[in-house]
Amino acid sequence: QVQLVESGGGLVQAGGSLRLSCAASGPTFNNYRMGWFRQAPGKEREFVAGISRLGLSTYYVDSMKGRFTISRDNAKKTVNLQMNSLKPDDTAVYYCAATLGALNGSSKWVYDAMNYWGKGTLVTVSS
């Protein structure tokens, strides 16, 4: 089992940028597909972005595509989420998640497909 710790959240103005990072424990980070999810106040947790084991494939929902970029560094055991052109609707707690499953397609990236979760980091976008 791995432990995941998110960082980089904070307060940013609309149109600004923020970079989130997720640090993983253990020696088997490269075996996991990694993803970012978010949960806004009073709403369900939703998928944001996912990345394959070697970082060769990435997955996004339409509202984030072109603004958000997911990446990973297996040597450092980290996964990042670069967020640009932020909107107030992006305000949420952002969670890092990991799975050993093969998720070939954005529709496969759902809450129940993930095996491990971080505690989240809060992103607040002001208008």
Side-chain angles (χ1 to χ4, degrees):
Q1 185 158 314
V2 300
Q3 293 198 36
L4 308 173
V5 180
E6 303 95 337
S7 62
L11 176 64
V12 64
Q13 289 185 300
S17 298
L18 207 60
R19 182 167 55 254
L20 307 182
S21 182
C22 173
S25 66
T28 59
F29 177 73
N30 62 314
N31 291 333
Y32 292 91
R33 287 83 171 175
M34 302 296 299
W36 288 94
F37 291 70
R38 71 184 184 185
Q39 189 165 17
K43 297 184 178 180
E44 299 291 321
R45 190 171 300 187
E46 65 175 346
F47 171 69
V48 175
I51 191 166
S52 61
R53 291 171 295 173
L54 297 179
L56 299 178
S57 298
T58 56
Y59 307 91
Y60 304 92
V61 296
D62 288 343
S63 61
M64 270 70 79
K65 189 175 296 183
R67 299 190 299 122
F68 290 10
T69 302
I70 188 171
S71 62
R72 68 187 297 162
D73 186 334
N74 286 354
K76 296 181 179 179
K77 299 182 177 63
T78 60
V79 59
N80 300 312
L81 184 69
Q82 177 66 45
M83 305 186 295
N84 299 324
S85 301
L86 284 163
K87 307 173 182 179
D89 285 349
D90 295 321
T91 296
V93 176
Y94 284 72
Y95 297 90
C96 178
T99 180
L100 292 172
L103 306 178
N104 302 122
S106 59
S107 64
K108 304 294 186 180
W109 291 79
V110 296
Y111 179 90
D112 289 341
M114 312 310 294
N115 303 124
Y116 310 102
W117 293 89
K119 293 182 178 180
T121 185
L122 177 63
V123 172
T124 303
V125 183
S126 62
S127 60

